[in-house]
């Protein structure tokens, strides 16, 4: 009760609010047709996964959700043949399939928000165009931390790791560059009174404003700001990010990397991508879930399909299509309880998800938390 009344607490505001305003679900399009799924506890399950929608697989723990997503759908699409089921049709309707594991693999621990979004390429080119850089014969590659200007003491990483016997490795800032990644004359080249090391210390939000006149820099950074990641520093290593931050960063980058479906060259519309995500809201604050939802909705608006396994009622309520498994876990699960828009699930008496969702949607909606 005290937290709900605390001024400036987004957690308190989340405790006091109700469900977000309902939205009209998108009509389901043709997608995947799974027949006879029998992996683990799936009980000869037949289920359709519509395309062009935000879909969510729900059910109690052990009901078979992740088995359906990972061990049947993802495994079959990767193998090009039915795995864990009798048949899976409709794969040709999707131009690509991206799983949570593939998204995570696209974020190497040495990467940064600047390098992943392509903004750093434009930043390095910006420094190379300065009169000072030209006078010194510096090229864009010289402004990479693993280039000529990178610190020789840490290889441009900004940190030094020492392996200890019987103890975890110890990582400390590099004494030579004091964690700045660069050393020597490269730091004397300035853009708007900032060295390349100074720019990497800017947050994504700060850099998006400072470089607003340069779309190649500002556009990818603005995408991260919209994803609620504007507080990340441009040079922050992906190894320091939480799982939720990595997930949203990967999805924000996907929005920039994947053209809208239906806008490809040629007479035929380009097929969309199918995203298979296992509990993307895990560990996220309510505000972060709202930012994640915005990303997922943008992907679907661009003509792609998203299918998540998740329990978060805000995500279930915002979905276009819900596949509820169960009714219980283990031997009592693996069956289709109901499928359809959220309203159809709330009307299913046998669905635990339907009862929880109905109670949540029945709460009066309060004003949303203050923006970041």
């Amino acid at each position: 009760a005290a937290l709900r009344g605390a001024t400036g607490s987004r957690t308190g505001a989340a405790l006091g609010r109700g469900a977000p305003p309902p939205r009209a679900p998108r009509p389901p399009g043709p997608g995947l047709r799974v027949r006879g799924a029998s992996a683990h506890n799936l009980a000869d399950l037949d289920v359709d996964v519509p395309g062009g929608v935000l879909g969510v697989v729900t059910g109690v723990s052990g009901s078979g959700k992740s088995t359906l997503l990972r061990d049947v759908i993802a495994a079959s699409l990767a193998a090009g043949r039915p795995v864990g089921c009798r048949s899976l049709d409709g794969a040709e309707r999707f131009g690509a399939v991206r799983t949570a594991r593939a998204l995570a693999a696209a974020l190497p621990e040495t990467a940064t928000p600047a390098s992943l979004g392509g903004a750093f390429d434009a930043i390095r080119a910006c420094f190379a165009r300065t009169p000072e850089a030209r006078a010194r014969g510096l090229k864009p590659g010289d402004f990479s931390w693993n280039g000529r200007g990178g610190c020789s003491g840490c290889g441009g990483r900004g940190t030094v790791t020492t392996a200890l016997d019987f103890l975890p490795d110890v990582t400390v800032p590099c004494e030579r560059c004091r964690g700045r990644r660069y050393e020597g004359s490269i730091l004397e080249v300035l853009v708007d009174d900032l060295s390349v090391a100074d720019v990497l210390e800017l947050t994504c939000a700060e850099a998006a404003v400072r470089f607003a006149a340069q779309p190649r820099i500002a556009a990818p950074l603005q995408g991260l700001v919209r994803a609620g990641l504007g507080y990340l520093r441009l040079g922050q290593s992906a190894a320091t990010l939480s799982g939720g931050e990595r997930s949203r960063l990967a999805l924000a980058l996907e929005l920039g990397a994947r053209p809208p479906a239906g806008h490809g060259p040629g007479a035929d519309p380009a097929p969309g991508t199918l995203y298979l995500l296992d509990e993307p809201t895990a560990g996220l604050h309510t505000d972060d879930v709202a930012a994640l939802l915005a990303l997922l909705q943008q992907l679907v608006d661009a003509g792609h399909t998203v299918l998540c396994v998740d329990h978060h009622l805000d995500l279930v309520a915002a979905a276009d299509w819900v596949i509820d498994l169960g009714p219980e876990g283990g031997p009592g699960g693996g069956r289709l309880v109901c499928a359809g828009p959220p309203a159809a699930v709330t009307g299913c008496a046998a669905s635990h998800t339907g009862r929880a969702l109905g109670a949540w949607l029945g709460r009066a909606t309060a004003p949303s938390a203050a923006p970041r």
Side-chain angles (χ1 to χ4, degrees):
L3 190 58
R4 283 199 298 269
T7 303
S9 169
R10 288 193 288 272
T11 302
L15 285 173
R17 74 165 177 85
R23 55 178 300 279
R26 301 175 182 88
L32 297 177
R33 180 181 170 93
V34 180
R35 293 295 178 265
S38 56
H40 300 303
N41 70 327
L42 296 181
D44 198 31
L45 177 69
D46 295 343
V47 65
D48 294 334
V49 179
V53 299
L54 172 56
V56 58
V57 184
T58 60
V60 300
S61 296
S63 58
K65 306 181 296 299
S66 293
T67 295
L68 174 63
L69 189 85
R70 293 196 307 245
D71 301 332
V72 176
I73 296 176
S76 296
L77 293 174
R81 59 177 177 80
V83 175
C85 62
R86 221 173 26 252
S87 65
L88 187 147
D89 301 318
E92 71 282 356
R93 296 192 173 104
F94 302 101
V97 178
R98 297 283 276 168
T99 63
R101 179 173 295 181
L103 291 173
L107 298 179
E109 293 194 347
T110 55
T112 66
S115 63
L116 287 166
F120 195 44
D121 293 338
I123 290 171
R124 291 188 290 110
C126 185
F127 274 91
R129 288 193 298 266
T130 62
E132 182 71 20
R134 289 178 176 178
R136 298 178 184 223
L138 297 174
K139 305 297 183 184
D142 294 316
F143 292 92
S144 293
W145 50 74
N146 55 0
R148 273 199 307 174
C151 174
S152 57
C154 61
R157 292 185 298 274
T159 59
V160 176
T161 300
T162 302
L164 300 178
D165 293 336
F166 310 113
L167 290 171
D169 294 349
V170 174
T171 300
V172 297
C174 173
E175 292 184 1
R176 189 179 184 93
C177 67
R178 299 189 302 279
R180 304 193 77 199
R181 294 179 180 261
Y182 298 89
E183 61 179 343
S185 60
I186 203 78
L187 295 173
E188 297 173 4
V189 180
L190 305 180
V191 170
D192 293 336
D193 297 324
L194 297 177
S195 70
V196 63
D198 295 328
V199 170
L200 290 175
E201 285 298 312
L202 295 175
T203 67
C204 293
E206 292 168 342
V209 172
R210 184 175 283 267
F211 294 99
Q214 302 189 49
R216 287 184 58 209
I217 300 175
L221 299 181
Q222 288 165 349
L224 299 184
V225 173
R226 288 192 296 271
L229 298 171
Y231 59 89
L232 295 181
R233 290 180 291 104
L234 290 189
Q236 187 169 343
S237 169
T240 67
L241 304 182
S242 69
E245 288 170 332
R246 291 172 67 92
S247 175
R248 279 184 290 150
L249 178 58
L251 289 171
L253 295 172
E254 283 287 301
L255 275 170
R258 301 276 171 175
H263 297 276
D268 295 331
T273 298
L274 172 63
Y275 292 90
L276 301 174
L277 308 177
D278 199 350
E279 299 196 31
T281 68
L284 297 187
H285 187 276
T286 303
D287 279 10
D288 298 324
V289 171
L292 172 69
L293 264 174
L295 284 173
L296 298 181
Q297 298 290 14
Q298 288 177 60
L299 282 171
V300 180
D301 287 340
H304 306 296
T305 300
V306 177
L307 182 66
C308 307
V309 166
D310 218 288
H311 302 276
H312 200 290
L313 291 176
D314 280 358
L315 175 54
V316 179
D320 303 302
W321 196 260
V322 180
I323 298 171
D324 194 48
L325 302 184
E328 306 300 336
R335 298 167 178 81
L336 181 65
V337 178
C338 57
V345 178
T346 60
C348 179
S351 171
H352 294 301
T353 301
R355 288 193 292 276
L357 183 61
W360 177 233
L361 293 176
R363 293 182 57 176
T365 301
S368 61
R372 292 178 184 269

